[in-house]
Each structure stands twice: as C-alpha cells, then as structure tokens.
Amino acid sequence: MKNHLRIGAVSYLNTKPLVHGLRERLGGFGELTFNLPSRLADDLRRGKLDVALIPSVEFLAERSYQMVSNAVIACRGPVWSVRLLSRVGANQIGRLALDEGSRTSAALVQVLLWEMHGLRPEIVPLSIDQSPEHVDADAVLLIGDRAMHPPPRCYREIWDLGDRWCRWSELPFVFALWVARPGVDTSGLSERLEASRDDGLASLEEIAARDAATHGLTNEDLFRYFAENLHYTFGVGEQNGLAEFHRRAVSLDLIPHYDSSIDLRSS
C-alpha cells in the first residue's frame, strides 16, 4: 500500500473550491488538515506535512520543493481578499503592518510599493487576533476572510493587491500552490487534487449556499468571489506571472537568489 500522505490545505474561503470533496476522494491515500498559509509552510519545512497548499513565495524560496498539481489559487484581476489599507497616501507609507497569516501577499505589497513609489517601509507584524485599528502603522495588509470585511474606518487609500499587480504587470498572480517535500512519493495525487478542483468549480453555487452566511456574505457575493475574483488553474499566464514575481522579489532580497531558472512545471 502507498504511504499515507499528510496533506495540509489553507483554512480560508478561497480554498473551498480546491478542496471540495477532497477528504473523501483521498480515502486511505492521505489525511487532510487545515491551517493558515504561513503555518502550513512551516509544517512542510519541518517535515510535519508531506504535501501542502503553501504561499507561492515559499515555493520560490525553497528549490527542493516540487509542484504536484496544476490546481492553484490565483487571480487575473481584483482578488477582493487581499487588501492594503493606508491611513496616508500610498507614496507616504513609512511603517507597514503585515498580516502574520501572509507571506506571498506580504512580499507582493512590498514589491508593489517599491515598483510604484520607490518605498521600502519599516515592517511590523499584525497578529491574527489583533485589530488593524490598534496597530501603530501607516498602513496594514489584510488577507483572507477578514480582508473581505475591512474595519469601519476611513482610509485614505485602499488597494486590492490582485488588481494592482495585474494592472501593473499585465500578468496573473499566483498566491498558493500544491507542493511536496523532496523524496515524497506523490504518484496518483495530482489526479485527486485536480478532480476536487474541477468538482468544486462545477459546484460553486452549492459551496456558496453552504458557506456564505457564516462569513457574513450573500450567496451571490460568494459565488462571484469564486467565479470572478479567483482563478484555479496554473496556465501559461500564471507561469509567467509567477516567474515575474520571482524576479521582482529576488531583486528586493525578499527571497534568496539562485543562478538557475526555477522549474515552474507541475508533475
């Protein structure tokens, strides 16, 4: 019998179509658990997980990881669930609070602030249970479910980071991908992951009806979020977007520099 894989997925709304029916589809093939993106990346690195849906920046920074599926979390325009909220003009941000659940979006906002305004702000953490209202910073980065319900305060500028990246780069952006640690036998896994993704995309109305109310959204809002704000397949555009993000992040020393080009092909 094949090894029993320990598989970790993101616990945010944006993952719902990717993992639709996945636990049942895995059966005895693997065990599925959920956590924050940054914690999944830590558990994968420490060997507590064999496969995980991790922030794309973590994949780009660790050359031994291998993509195991073309099922990803990406966008081709506004993403809604990744936002920069600034109390000053974006070109005046000196102190930036980053949601601790994020690593890809944390790097993305720094890339955009540098490329658009030549800024390298001081970085401070924003914990998962900390209110953005109480952090001492000019701007805050929010991701996931709480970014979809920003605090009731007047901000001078609000950026949807998906929209900003896609307009600036004219490329899609990839937030998370399924990857495996080196030496892990993942044969047969990609078919299960992609079948769950495909079933999820065919069941968006059902997923929206099930999860919308508990997240303070209407069924229509959640359906449109899945169908219009997110993209779940790693195509040529996503490959080019991820490669461009890699180049920009390396140039700012946000991830290590490697001489060889990164392999963006899923197995």
Side-chain angles (χ1 to χ4, degrees), residues 90-91 109-119 159 164-165 167-168:
N91 61 350
V109 71
Q110 292 178 80
V111 167
L112 288 172
L113 286 173
W114 174 254
E115 297 294 344
M116 300 177 76
H117 295 299
L119 291 180
W159 285 10
R164 292 278 171 165
W165 167 267
R167 287 177 180 271
W168 173 75

Side-chain angles (χ1 to χ4, degrees), residues 141-156:
L141 170 71
L142 296 181
I143 70 164
D145 303 352
R146 68 172 173 172
M148 302 169 81
H149 300 284
R153 172 192 177 117
C154 262
Y155 288 90
R156 185 165 174 184

Side-chain angles (χ1 to χ4, degrees), residues 150-238:
R153 172 192 177 117
C154 262
Y155 288 90
R156 185 165 174 184
E157 287 196 41
I158 298 178
W159 285 10
D160 179 306
L161 293 195
D163 183 55
R164 292 278 171 165
W165 167 267
C166 293
R167 287 177 180 271
W168 173 75
S169 69
E170 299 183 341
L171 292 167
F173 191 82
V174 179
F175 288 96
L177 348 80
W178 288 109
V179 305
R181 291 187 296 109
V184 173
D185 180 5
T186 62
S187 55
L189 179 60
S190 64
E191 294 86 349
R192 289 171 168 84
L193 295 175
E194 288 155 26
S196 289
R197 185 266 319 277
D198 295 344
D199 285 353
L201 292 178
S203 306
L204 293 184
E205 290 186 357
E206 173 190 338
I207 298 170
R210 182 192 65 204
D211 294 313
T214 57
H215 292 272
L217 300 169
T218 66
N219 292 7
E220 181 182 1
D221 281 343
L222 187 51
F223 176 84
R224 292 182 64 182
Y225 173 59
F226 292 143
E228 298 177 11
N229 294 109
L230 298 174
H231 186 72
Y232 290 102
T233 299
F234 190 71
V236 174
E238 286 70 33

Side-chain angles (χ1 to χ4, degrees), residues 25-71:
R25 184 169 275 107
L26 287 173
F29 188 85
E31 176 187 4
L32 182 65
T33 59
F34 293 88
N35 212 326
L36 298 175
S38 56
R39 294 174 185 171
L40 291 174
D42 290 342
D43 285 346
L44 188 68
R45 185 174 60 253
R46 294 167 183 160
K48 295 181 179 180
L49 291 171
D50 302 307
V51 176
L53 184 68
I54 66 169
S56 58
V57 74
E58 298 284 349
F59 167 69
L60 295 173
E62 178 49 72
R63 301 308 299 276
S64 66
Y65 288 162
Q66 180 183 10
M67 287 182 66
V68 296
S69 171
N70 69 12

Side-chain angles (χ1 to χ4, degrees), residues 88-101:
V88 300
N91 61 350
Q92 298 175 317
I93 296 173
R95 187 176 172 90
L96 173 63
L98 299 179
D99 192 315
E100 75 169 2

